[in-house]
Amino acid sequence: MRVTRDFLRGRGRERMTEAEKDALEAAVDRVETLPARTIVVNRGQRVRYSTLLLEGTMCRYMDARDGFRQLVALQVAGDFVDLHGYPLEMLDHDVGTLSEARVAVITHARLDALTRDMPHLTRLLWRSTLLDAALHREWIFRLGRLDAAGRVAHFLMETFHRLDAVGRTDDGRFALPLTQQDLGEACGLTSVHVNRTLRRLREDGLADVARGTVRILNAAGLARVAEFEPDYLYLEDGAWARDAAE
């Protein structure tokens, strides 16, 4: 089984040729397991490799002067966590794990070879960073225009669809190893406000979040509260199933 099998899974992976999949797999320098709640890359640190998340949950975040953290991205299996660090050579934010995470490390020297020799694969790597940019734009909308229930509902719907694309949901359920403080840092809310909002979503029969698991009870209703449309995720229905045997 390829360790890179979830890269662009459900979001354009079927455009990769077998030779490109082989080349990406061969570019992996090593696979590591990282502990939960660990800083992986510090803001301003020069980077000479990029990290593909294989299992677990990671995040990008920024710290305010008052010590409070703002999550600016959630990373799930199949995501290149810091591919943008390849051309930029450093990051303007921190990267850390939320749960234990298994990652594949690809050095920038090997990315140099891929981008030199495989222009179509280069375009797909570029696609990956553009999908990240689409997520960032939606996060700005969520924080700027939605109320508390809308923000949390939107975050849950987005995360469900992203995990579903890589085969990590089960009948509306998915693992979400985030505390209420983490959710608040992703949605611009206090932990107390998150607690009240989750209770409201549960009492309204929309979603239940408990013990690291999310259960979506009414997807259509949750999407209405979230003003959620999945088009910005560029999902390709059923694509993950076709790749499941890799």
Side-chain angles (χ1 to χ4, degrees), residues 68-72 139 180-189:
F68 287 97
R69 183 178 68 163
Q70 176 67 46
L71 299 193
V72 296
W139 277 47
Q180 290 188 3
Q181 180 176 336
D182 296 330
L183 279 172
E185 291 169 349
C187 297
L189 303 169

Side-chain angles (χ1 to χ4, degrees), residues 190-207:
T190 66
S191 298
V192 172
H193 209 164
V194 169
N195 183 275
R196 292 172 180 165
T197 302
L198 292 177
R199 184 170 65 246
R200 172 185 164 185
L201 294 178
R202 182 177 62 253
E203 291 173 350
D204 289 348
L206 300 176

Side-chain angles (χ1 to χ4, degrees), residues 99-231:
S99 68
E100 181 177 270
R102 184 166 169 261
V103 301
V105 176
I106 300 180
T107 66
H108 290 173
R110 294 190 178 183
L111 286 174
D112 283 339
L114 288 181
T115 56
R116 181 186 63 241
D117 299 335
M118 309 192 81
H120 183 255
L121 179 56
T122 300
R123 183 181 178 88
L124 292 174
L125 292 170
W126 185 17
R127 176 183 175 86
S128 173
T129 64
L130 294 177
L131 291 173
D132 283 343
L135 281 168
H136 286 311
R137 287 190 291 273
E138 197 74 11
W139 277 47
I140 292 170
F141 165 77
R142 179 166 72 219
L143 292 176
R145 304 308 304 171
L146 300 181
D147 62 11
R151 293 180 195 182
V152 175
H154 193 287
F155 180 84
L156 296 179
M157 287 296 294
E158 176 182 278
T159 305
F160 169 78
H161 280 282
R162 292 175 67 196
L163 289 171
D164 191 57
V166 291
R168 285 166 174 79
T169 65
D170 180 16
D171 193 26
R173 293 178 173 83
F174 61 94
L176 187 68
L178 274 65
T179 66
Q180 290 188 3
Q181 180 176 336
D182 296 330
L183 279 172
E185 291 169 349
C187 297
L189 303 169
T190 66
S191 298
V192 172
H193 209 164
V194 169
N195 183 275
R196 292 172 180 165
T197 302
L198 292 177
R199 184 170 65 246
R200 172 185 164 185
L201 294 178
R202 182 177 62 253
E203 291 173 350
D204 289 348
L206 300 176
D208 183 35
V209 181
R211 295 180 292 279
T213 299
V214 176
R215 184 164 56 107
I216 295 181
L217 306 173
N218 181 343
L222 194 64
R224 280 194 297 273
V225 171
E227 298 184 31
F228 180 81
E229 296 287 346
D231 55 335

Side-chain angles (χ1 to χ4, degrees), residues 7-8 11 50-53 58 60 72-88 91 93 95 124-140 142 158 162 232-234:
F7 174 61
L8 290 181
R11 301 174 75 189
S50 289
T51 304
L52 177 65
L53 181 56
M58 297 177 66
R60 305 182 206 173
V72 296
L74 185 77
Q75 310 294 159
V76 302
D79 288 349
F80 253 115
V81 176
D82 49 8
L83 185 58
H84 53 293
Y86 169 51
L88 294 174
L91 299 182
H93 53 274
V95 175
L124 292 174
L125 292 170
W126 185 17
R127 176 183 175 86
S128 173
T129 64
L130 294 177
L131 291 173
D132 283 343
L135 281 168
H136 286 311
R137 287 190 291 273
E138 197 74 11
W139 277 47
I140 292 170
R142 179 166 72 219
E158 176 182 278
R162 292 175 67 196
Y232 70 98
L233 295 173
Y234 295 89

